């Protein structure tokens, strides 16, 4: 039980973000107004996604060096959960865009880059199901995962900063940290990132247990 304290922390932090994010006073900025509360959900989910995708590519690199099936499984699981959070991030971002920009989606470099990134990781999942040979699947998937992560960095971190963009923090548009924000927002924002990340790790742990049980069952049947 003592080893699972972080799971309780994860639940508390996410509940704190979900509830506190709706109740605290927020700055009344032009256009954003009350929609700025989505900062606690949309942005924090994407931070957690990027952390998990980083973990995924690290395990893919480890697999290419070690050849251990468990490293490949961890890479896959981290990518799956990261993709789930990424889809949630796009959904909450689209709702935010509707209320601030007037449309669920606009032709914006950051938004288009996010879509390309999500599609790249969907392709990773499809690729994994395209091979019957486990070793071949693991090796090719690991190499592709590195490629997908490079796309993530390029389309989310680099290209949007090199052109005009409505998205905060890109194309000359100031990020939220540069606005005169109430410091109480940071009290919700940073714990939310930690909370979503820990929830992702927790889900990954559960999926890894199921994976190990399936492997053990197959071994027992042989």
């Amino acid at each position: 039980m003592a080893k699972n304290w972080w799971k309780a922390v994860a639940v508390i932090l996410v509940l704190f973000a979900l509830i506190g994010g709706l109740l605290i006073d927020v700055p009344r900025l032009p256009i954003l107004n009350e929609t700025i509360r989505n900062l606690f959900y949309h942005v924090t989910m994407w931070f957690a996604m990027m952390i998990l995708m980083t973990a995924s590519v690290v395990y893919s690199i480890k697999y290419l060096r070690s050849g251990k099936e468990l490293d490949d499984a961890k890479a896959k699981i981290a990518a799956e959960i990261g993709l789930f959070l990424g889809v949630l991030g796009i959904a909450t971002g689209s709702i935010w865009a509707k209320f601030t920009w007037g449309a669920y989606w606009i032709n914006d470099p950051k938004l288009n880059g996010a879509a390309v990134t999500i599609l790249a990781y969907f392709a990773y999942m499809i690729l994994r199901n395209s091979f019957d040979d486990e070793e071949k699947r693991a090796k090719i998937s690991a190499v592709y995962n590195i490629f997908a992560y490079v796309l993530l960095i390029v389309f989310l971190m680099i290209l949007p900063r090199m052109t005009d963009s409505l998205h905060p923090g890109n194309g000359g548009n100031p990020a939220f940290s540069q606005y005169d924000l109430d410091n109480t927002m940071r009290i919700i924002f940073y714990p939310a990132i930690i909370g979503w990340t820990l929830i992702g790790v927790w889900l990954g742990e559960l999926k890894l247990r199921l994976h190990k049980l399936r492997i053990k069952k197959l071994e027992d049947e042989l």
Side-chain angles (χ1 to χ4, degrees):
M1 189 68 180
K3 295 181 180 179
N4 295 322
W5 62 268
W6 60 272
K7 297 176 182 178
V9 172
V11 172
I12 291 170
L13 290 179
V14 169
L15 288 176
F16 176 66
L18 292 173
I19 299 171
L22 295 175
L23 297 179
I24 69 166
D25 290 330
V26 293
R28 298 299 188 267
L29 297 177
I31 301 177
L32 292 173
N33 297 310
E34 287 288 331
T35 68
I36 199 173
R37 295 181 189 277
N38 207 358
L39 181 76
F40 303 132
Y41 316 119
H42 164 66
V43 180
T44 56
M45 286 178 185
W46 270 74
F47 264 97
M49 178 207 75
M50 295 183 70
I51 292 170
L52 287 165
M53 293 310 189
T54 301
S56 177
V57 76
V58 167
Y59 280 117
S60 285
I61 294 171
K62 284 185 66 178
Y63 171 77
L64 291 174
R65 297 182 63 182
S66 68
K68 294 181 180 178
E69 187 275 338
L70 191 60
D71 287 331
D72 176 60
K74 290 178 180 179
K76 172 180 175 286
I77 290 169
E80 285 176 339
I81 299 168
L83 183 58
F84 173 67
L85 290 171
V87 171
L88 289 178
I90 277 194
T92 51
S94 295
I95 295 171
W96 200 356
K98 175 63 176 177
F99 284 95
T100 55
W101 299 337
Y104 288 109
W105 198 272
I106 62 172
N107 187 22
D108 183 85
K110 188 65 173 274
L111 272 67
N112 293 337
V116 170
T117 299
I118 292 297
L119 290 174
Y121 278 98
F122 270 121
Y124 169 74
M125 298 304 167
I126 294 171
L127 179 67
R128 293 194 64 91
N129 294 320
S130 301
F131 299 94
D132 293 325
D133 185 279
E134 293 183 4
E135 185 176 350
K136 184 177 181 180
R137 176 180 60 207
K139 287 182 178 179
I140 294 177
S141 296
V143 173
Y144 178 85
N145 196 15
I146 297 171
F147 168 74
Y149 187 76
V150 171
L151 286 182
L152 182 151
I153 297 299
V154 171
F155 281 101
L156 293 183
M157 307 296 292
I158 299 175
L159 289 183
R161 287 175 167 78
M162 298 174 64
T163 184
D164 291 333
S165 173
L166 286 175
H167 199 281
N170 299 283
N173 193 6
F176 286 107
S177 60
Q178 294 171 264
Y179 285 123
D180 184 21
L181 295 182
D182 189 334
N183 283 331
T184 56
M185 291 193 71
R186 294 182 177 86
I187 296 174
I188 303 290
F189 181 75
Y190 294 114
I193 295 174
I194 297 171
W196 286 118
T197 302
L198 289 177
I199 289 292
V201 172
W202 189 357
L203 291 173
E205 183 185 77
L206 293 174
K207 288 178 71 67
L208 188 61
R209 284 184 185 178
L210 287 174
H211 174 77
K212 289 178 178 179
L213 287 173
R214 292 192 193 101
I215 296 298
K216 187 176 185 303
K217 182 180 179 181
L218 288 173
E219 290 175 348
D220 291 341
E221 291 175 352
L222 294 177

